[in-house]
Amino acid sequence: LEWLCCIGELVREKKDIDWDVILYKADELRCSRMLKHGLFLSWKGFGTELPCQICDLLKHDHVQPGL
């Protein structure tokens, strides 16, 4: 749970996150599913405000409903 809170704090503090780079790197490192799960849980569980681009991505991800 602490990591999910840390995600929320990081997103709240760092307004200049380049999400395209984050998503590209996660895909390159083959950990995009883990990134999406963490963002989803932080968003839904702790109300982390994510950019629309990320919320839309998470809403249309087929694995998330199972969480």
Side-chain angles (χ1 to χ4, degrees), residues 7-55:
I7 290 171
E9 287 301 309
L10 178 69
V11 170
R12 189 172 62 81
E13 291 293 321
K14 302 286 185 184
K15 300 295 184 195
D16 61 343
I17 294 174
D18 188 338
W19 288 102
D20 291 326
V21 171
I22 298 293
L23 294 170
Y24 175 81
K25 285 293 189 183
D27 191 47
E28 188 177 74
L29 296 169
R30 302 178 62 91
C31 64
S32 59
R33 177 67 49 211
M34 190 182 328
L35 172 66
K36 290 175 186 177
H37 281 308
L39 290 171
F40 180 83
L41 291 171
S42 183
W43 176 43
K44 290 295 186 176
F46 296 100
T48 299
E49 292 186 29
L50 298 171
C52 293
Q53 166 195 8
I54 301 301
C55 291

